Amino acid sequence: MKSMEKIVSLCKRRGFLFQSSEIYGGVQGFWDYGPLGVELKRNLKEAWWNDMLTSHNELVTSADTPSTYEMVGLDSTIIMHPQVWKCSGHFDLFHDHMIDCPEAKRRYRFDQVRGRWVEYQDKKIFVATMAEAAEEADDVRRRGMKFFKLRNKDADKMTLGSESITLDQLDSTTDVLGPDAKSLDTLTEPREFNLMFKTTLGALGGEDDVTFLRPETAQGIFVNFKNVLDSSRVRVPFGIGQVGKSFRNEITPRNFTFRSREFEQMEIEFFCHPDQSQDWYRFWRDRRLAWYTSLGLSSESLIMREHHTEELAHYSIGTADIEYAFPFLPEGEYGELEGIAHRGDFDLRSHMEGKLDPQTPKGQRMEVELGADGKPKHRGSGKDLSYRDELTGERYIPHVIEPSAGADRGALAFICEAYSEDEAPDEKGKMQTRTVMKLNPRLAPIKAAVFPLVKKDGMPEVAKDIYGELKKHMNVFYDEKGAVGRRYRRQDEAGTPYCITVDTESLSEKTVTVRDRDSLQQSRVRIDDLVAEITQRIESH
Ligand code: ATP
């Protein structure tokens, strides 16, 4: 049975993920990728870059593409001019609501605190908890009993609500026991908390030198819109893609790497004519969903969720999230992997004119928000970021479609999907449970492992030659220690799709066995054909 506990344990044991600064007790919300994890994440980012940018052929229009389009890349800085964040809206609006518990000296994200009603005799209280979904009811029961000073034998005298409720659904008169509190009603009212990490530029460090670590890579693309246009001869419609680190001071980082404070994003800003923007929005939604399934996420575990009007960000005309049924979520719940937003002309216009008024109804032209002095509250760059179509002579501010994906959430989803347990014969032919990471070969950290069947009779020499040859083309692993069955098992856990074994026949016939991780089928392949055969098998996925 797949469980988050087993997945987390495998990730640590086999070197996919480690807690950051673990020898000092770790730091919440930060994760390091070990030798296998770093390869997996690199492969995921490369697959994205390749499939979305470099292998995209702008000269071809397919049946479901509104028109031909071009894609280019960018690598902008993490620290940018402080004004960027004022005009983007992050300075004023990028916050979550937090609540504090002075008694327990703890802080929580308001929308993440859940709980249940608990009733004993004629007293009804609400017990809040931060426990994972699977442990929520047990945690509430345990703390309710402690609060009412009940012994185990009296457990059935206390009733526990069957429904899990978030704090924001309660009215202000409710008696709430905070997630780590011993007495009632210790939680403060929700307050805004800006999620950007502050930092200071230079040695003098005055108020004007305060800036932020970027909370998204997107703004680096918007402020370079004109540079890319002027330097690369792209024409609208076109997209700029970027992969890089982003930082958010999340109030309650949790669920392994799902909500981290430092993470990587893979973002595209796609610029198009306003009249075509709805078609492009639909195009990117479908294209991005299909990308996840093409790399192995099962369509039963994925949903495309269109946001309701009241849920839309202030700038957005439409947003859809691609969500995945992560195993740490309750049955039927999904977590966001990627958001695809129709941002209208909000971003380019803000960086031209200044921060726009978020109160203006969506879809309408937004006005510059004025400060007390009657001037724009946050002044834009004053640069003209409009586009002139050379063929028609029309000048306009392009609309933007933004598919914004998280590389860490993506990697986690592929890890969760890949984890499986099945029955396979061990070296003595006895059926045993095996743990296997069924990663798509394009994503697998190690593509092939090479084993000499035994450590003698010239087999290691032949195996090392094969290893050296394959190494020129892909990440390969060599192992000659222990029983071959055990070596297979280690590679199954690492997600290695092919194991190549050199045996006696290899010496006389110049062939090896290639074992397929998923089907367990073994086939004989000529040593001279190995590179082509393994490459072809990987590319066919
Ligand atoms: P959430 O609602 O989960 O906080 P969001 O809607 O704020 O996410 P976006 O601003 O749309 O996220 O960011 C785009 C993508 O970046 C997300 O779909 C996700 O994959 C990734 N991402 C955002 N925040 C985090 C985080 N704290 N840790 C890891 N990945 C993140």
Side-chain angles (χ1 to χ4, degrees):
M1 259 284 283
K2 191 183 292 207
S3 74
M4 209 51 215
E5 212 181 333
K6 288 183 185 172
I7 293 170
V8 171
S9 145
L10 181 135
C11 282
K12 164 124 212 251
R13 180 160 44 83
R14 293 311 314 273
F16 279 95
L17 282 156
F18 307 125
Q19 200 181 6
S20 164
S21 323
E22 194 183 281
I23 60 168
Y24 286 102
V27 46
Q28 248 206 329
F30 295 88
W31 297 92
D32 296 336
Y33 286 77
L36 291 181
V38 67
E39 294 290 341
L40 168 66
K41 194 166 142 189
R42 278 173 60 102
N43 292 340
L44 182 69
K45 289 185 288 182
E46 262 168 47
W48 182 90
W49 190 269
N50 181 67
D51 298 350
M52 295 301 120
L53 305 184
T54 47
S55 78
H56 159 71
N57 183 347
E58 76 268 15
L59 304 176
V60 176
T61 324
S62 70
D64 46 18
T65 317
S67 69
T68 56
Y69 66 97
E70 295 178 70
M71 296 295 293
V72 290
L74 182 79
D75 187 5
S76 69
T77 59
I78 286 169
I79 292 178
M80 298 169 72
H81 194 290
Q83 201 64 14
V84 168
W85 307 112
K86 295 195 173 149
C87 291
S88 70
H90 287 85
F91 186 78
D92 291 330
L93 298 167
F94 192 58
H95 48 64
D96 276 335
H97 287 96
M98 60 178 186
I99 47 173
D100 285 308
C101 176
E103 184 197 283
K105 299 196 175 50
R106 297 293 291 267
R107 175 165 288 177
Y108 313 96
R109 207 173 112 173
F110 185 50
D111 61 349
Q112 284 177 349
V113 185
R114 308 180 75 96
R116 290 169 192 234
W117 291 105
V118 165
E119 203 168 351
Y120 173 62
Q121 293 176 340
D122 51 1
K123 179 118 179 111
K124 191 173 175 186
I125 63 167
F126 184 83
V127 178
T129 175
M130 292 297 286
E132 301 292 337
E135 281 113 49
E136 185 189 297
D138 285 346
D139 190 58
V140 169
R141 182 178 297 105
R142 187 180 53 75
R143 293 187 38 249
M145 285 178 55
K146 203 163 170 194
F147 178 81
F148 288 119
K149 299 191 175 59
L150 294 175
R151 301 220 195 121
N152 282 348
K153 67 178 173 56
D154 298 322
D156 51 7
K157 293 189 182 149
M158 186 182 86
T159 49
L160 184 72
S162 58
E163 202 189 346
S164 165
I165 300 169
T166 47
L167 270 192
D168 49 0
Q169 291 171 271
L170 303 175
D171 73 41
S172 56
T173 58
T174 310
D175 281 330
V176 177
L177 182 66
D180 299 282
K182 294 196 176 65
S183 32
L184 291 178
D185 301 327
T186 57
L187 299 175
T188 62
E189 287 296 308
R191 280 185 297 143
E192 285 175 1
F193 173 76
N194 195 299
L195 298 180
M196 285 196 294
F197 279 101
K198 246 190 203 168
T199 188
T200 312
L201 297 175
L204 295 175
E207 226 355 80
D208 289 346
D209 302 321
V210 168
T211 187
F212 304 92
L213 303 189
R214 67 180 176 200
E216 59 173 36
T217 67
Q219 298 305 323
I221 300 181
F222 294 124
V223 300
N224 276 298
F225 171 70
K226 256 293 176 313
N227 282 337
V228 172
L229 261 188
D230 294 345
S231 60
S232 60
R233 304 187 56 196
V234 283
R235 298 171 46 78
V236 169
F238 73 97
I240 305 178
Q242 165 154 245
V243 177
K245 291 260 182 174
S246 292
F247 301 82
R248 296 182 188 179
N249 200 0
E250 298 280 358
I251 300 166
T252 39
R254 61 204 302 222
N255 291 332
F256 209 15
T257 57
F258 181 84
R259 189 169 298 288
S260 308
R261 288 176 166 148
E262 174 175 340
F263 55 95
E264 256 179 302
Q265 290 183 308
M266 309 184 289
E267 295 196 294
I268 293 169
E269 304 304 326
F270 189 81
F271 302 94
C272 59
H273 191 283
D275 293 348
Q276 280 194 342
S277 60
Q278 291 297 348
D279 291 341
W280 283 114
Y281 173 55
R282 277 189 289 276
F283 167 79
W284 280 107
R285 268 185 0 183
D286 298 347
R287 183 159 158 71
R288 293 300 305 146
L289 183 66
W291 186 75
Y292 287 103
T293 50
S294 77
L295 284 173
L297 292 191
S298 74
S299 37
E300 296 87 75
S301 305
L302 277 174
I303 54 162
M304 175 74 80
R305 194 177 65 82
E306 196 77 44
H307 283 208
H308 305 297
T309 327
E310 62 278 10
E311 218 187 324
L312 291 176
H314 60 88
Y315 51 75
S316 184
I317 296 172
T319 297
D321 286 344
I322 298 176
E323 300 184 338
Y324 179 71
F326 285 97
F328 51 75
L329 296 170
E331 181 82 26
E333 284 192 21
Y334 297 80
E336 176 181 329
L337 275 184
E338 168 160 354
I340 297 111
H342 183 321
R343 299 174 67 104
D345 64 4
F346 173 77
D347 306 276
L348 290 178
R349 199 176 274 284
S350 309
H351 288 302
M352 273 171 74
E353 299 172 357
K355 194 177 126 307
L356 305 164
D357 182 1
Q359 304 310 330
T360 310
K362 297 176 184 73
Q364 294 181 13
R365 190 185 182 291
M366 298 179 222
E367 299 300 328
V368 177
E369 187 185 7
L370 302 180
D373 57 0
K375 294 188 177 146
K377 186 170 173 205
H378 297 305
R379 219 156 302 151
S381 65
K383 300 280 185 296
D384 178 9
L385 301 182
S386 65
Y387 173 80
R388 185 171 172 278
D389 188 319
E390 280 166 18
L391 297 178
T392 63
E394 187 187 1
R395 181 171 285 285
Y396 58 91
I397 300 180
H399 275 200
V400 169
I401 311 300
E402 177 190 77
S404 168
D408 307 84
R409 284 195 192 171
L412 184 60
F414 284 104
I415 287 175
C416 292
E417 180 84 27
Y419 183 97
S420 31
E421 291 171 359
D422 61 14
E423 294 281 311
D426 66 7
E427 53 263 44
K428 295 190 188 99
K430 209 169 133 219
M431 292 306 269
Q432 298 275 13
T433 304
R434 80 168 176 152
T435 302
V436 50
M437 292 294 279
K438 293 190 173 171
L439 289 165
N440 181 299
R442 283 182 74 195
L443 300 181
I446 302 168
K447 306 300 181 200
V450 187
F451 310 147
L453 185 63
V454 288
K455 224 166 116 183
K456 54 183 184 185
D457 303 334
M459 289 183 209
E461 288 73 11
V462 175
K464 280 178 190 164
D465 280 350
I466 293 173
Y467 169 76
E469 220 24 66
L470 282 168
K471 257 267 167 212
K472 294 179 194 159
H473 305 271
M474 60 192 81
N475 193 23
V476 196
F477 187 77
Y478 177 81
D479 190 3
E480 57 180 24
K481 289 187 264 324
V484 78
R486 211 160 310 140
R487 284 182 259 164
Y488 282 148
R489 294 304 164 93
R490 278 188 65 76
Q491 293 308 315
D492 287 342
E493 278 195 345
T496 309
Y498 309 110
C499 287
I500 298 161
T501 306
V502 172
D503 53 19
T504 16
E505 227 179 299
S506 309
L507 308 174
S508 53
E509 305 297 320
K510 306 264 177 293
T511 59
V512 288
T513 62
V514 177
R515 170 200 184 255
D516 182 283
R517 177 196 67 201
D518 301 342
S519 68
L520 297 172
Q521 300 254 307
Q522 305 213 5
S523 47
R524 284 209 87 84
V525 176
R526 280 166 41 83
I527 294 176
D528 285 348
D529 297 340
L530 259 180
V531 170
E533 170 75 20
I534 302 287
T535 310
Q536 187 272 325
R537 287 199 197 186
I538 295 169
E539 282 172 1
S540 70
H541 279 87

